[in-house]
Amino acid sequence: MSSASATPATPATPATPATPATPATPAVTAATGVTTATTSGTKGSRAPRPRNGDAPRTGDSRTAPGTPPGPGAAAHREPRRVPRAVWALPPVVVLALVFLYPLALVVQQSFSPDEGGTSLSPYAEVFASRSFRDALTTTVWLAVGSTVGCLVLGFVLALVIAFVPFPGGKAVAKFIDVFLSFPSFLITLALLFIYGSVGMANGLWTDATGAAEGPFHFLTTPWGVLLAEITFFTPFVMRPLLAAFSQMDTAQLEVASSLGAGPARIVRRVILPEALPALAAGGSLVLVMCLNEFGIVLFTGAKGVTTLPMLVYGKAILESDYPAACVVAVVNIAISVGLYSLYRMVSRRVGA
């Protein structure tokens, strides 16, 4: 007979008295001045704080009265931007006063004959004169001849300095940079000491042969001016060429040489295409500078060699014909600007 043991009943637990509700305790956040309340239903729940930089809202019950705005409020204000026209105004004004205003005066004077008024008679008189046509022809062929000579000589010298190792090569390359700062009359003066009528070359000739004078008298001819300009302006071609050659990958030269290409073929097929932008930049610069060269022609004392800058000097200083001088100056400026525009177009095509 199975008997079931009775489990004694658990006595009832007396009811715990209800905890009295905790009154709302105000807590003021020191940093933001926001008053929060802790209720019996939430554990430490707080009202959302305003983000840093948010200005307190008027009538917000969470913001203490008289509380100043947060420290980041001014930081989030977008600063006022100065219009671009204001920044561009100072350089434009300086450029207009220093360059454009004198140029405008030259152009205005070219249309103002001595009789008064405004007319094209100064241009008609200058274009009809033989001296202007001769000066224009001399200026163009001297500038073109000097540019071609500088390109050929500068390319050969830059090749030697860049690709033919020799003692003092780096010193020669640095001297090219220094040479660019020399004035043009200094080179002309040095050539006069060497090839002048009483220069070193003629002195050696007369000492060796006993002749009354030497054979070197070309400095007072257009060929002397051409030699002086080539001597002075060649470094202006060499500088961009040396910079281009320093960035050239020598592996191309080694591959071309390993395939049996000779030096002339390497120069023609590998080096020259890479040097075209530098040649275009240096050649155009030399061409414009030769068109406006004054000191070399003046210091050589070449008789019968009158360029456009020399004609301007003669008309303004020697003849006091200012309208004619301004006409020649305007023509010279127009040629220079046209050649510069041509240079920019060519440089874009060759990738300079």
Side-chain angles (χ1 to χ4, degrees):
M1 177 177 177
S2 61
S3 61
S5 58
T7 304
T10 305
T13 305
T16 305
T19 305
T22 305
T25 304
V28 179
T29 305
T32 60
V34 179
T35 304
T36 58
T38 305
T39 59
S40 61
T42 58
K43 297 181 179 181
S45 62
R46 296 177 181 179
R49 294 182 180 182
R51 290 177 294 181
N52 188 19
D54 291 348
R57 291 172 294 182
T58 305
D60 194 344
S61 60
R62 297 174 297 173
T63 304
T67 303
H76 284 270
R77 294 176 182 175
E78 187 176 356
R80 295 181 179 180
R81 294 184 178 180
V82 180
R84 295 182 179 180
V86 176
W87 294 109
L89 186 60
V92 170
V93 171
V94 173
L95 181 63
L97 292 177
V98 174
F99 178 73
L100 296 180
Y101 179 67
L103 182 60
L105 290 179
V106 171
V107 176
Q108 179 185 4
Q109 186 66 32
S110 67
F111 290 98
S112 303
D114 294 333
E115 297 79 12
T118 301
S119 70
L120 294 174
S121 59
Y123 283 87
E125 294 176 1
V126 170
F127 290 166
S129 63
R130 182 177 179 83
S131 59
F132 171 76
R133 295 195 298 268
D134 292 342
L136 181 60
T137 303
T138 303
T139 302
V140 171
W141 86 259
L142 277 177
V144 174
S146 300
T147 302
V148 173
C150 291
L151 288 175
V152 175
L153 183 60
F155 184 71
V156 174
L157 293 179
L159 278 178
V160 173
I161 295 175
F163 299 108
V164 179
F166 63 93
K170 293 184 178 179
V172 173
K174 292 182 179 180
F175 176 74
I176 297 300
D177 296 337
V178 178
F179 192 89
L180 297 177
S181 63
F182 290 173
S184 60
F185 71 87
L186 183 62
I187 305 303
T188 309
L189 189 62
L191 291 177
L192 287 174
F193 280 128
I194 298 175
Y195 300 109
S197 301
V198 292
M200 294 174 55
N202 285 323
L204 292 175
W205 180 271
T206 54
D207 292 341
T209 62
E213 60 181 13
F216 302 104
H217 302 285
F218 64 90
L219 273 184
T220 57
T221 65
W223 300 107
V225 177
L226 187 66
L227 174 63
E229 290 188 351
I230 291 176
T231 304
F232 179 71
F233 291 114
T234 294
F236 289 88
V237 175
M238 295 178 60
R239 190 64 191 90
L241 281 175
L242 290 174
F245 290 159
S246 64
Q247 299 178 357
M248 185 177 296
D249 188 6
T250 57
Q252 300 179 8
L253 307 180
E254 297 174 357
V255 170
S257 179
S258 63
L259 294 177
R265 185 179 180 86
I266 292 176
V267 171
R268 186 176 68 255
R269 301 295 297 273
V270 180
I271 298 179
L272 185 58
E274 295 291 334
L276 282 180
L279 283 173
S284 60
L285 177 63
V286 169
L287 182 61
V288 174
M289 294 177 71
C290 288
L291 283 172
N292 303 300
E293 181 56 38
F294 175 76
I296 290 179
V297 183
L298 182 65
F299 270 79
T300 53
K303 299 178 181 179
V305 179
T306 303
T307 59
L308 290 179
M310 288 293 297
L311 187 61
V312 173
Y313 174 79
K315 291 289 185 182
I317 305 301
L318 303 180
E319 302 178 14
S320 298
D321 190 358
Y322 296 106
C326 292
V327 169
V328 179
V330 169
V331 172
N332 202 357
I333 293 172
I335 295 175
S336 300
V337 173
L339 287 176
Y340 178 75
S341 303
L342 180 62
Y343 152 69
R344 294 298 300 173
M345 182 179 65
V346 173
S347 62
R348 284 195 298 266
R349 289 182 178 273
V350 299

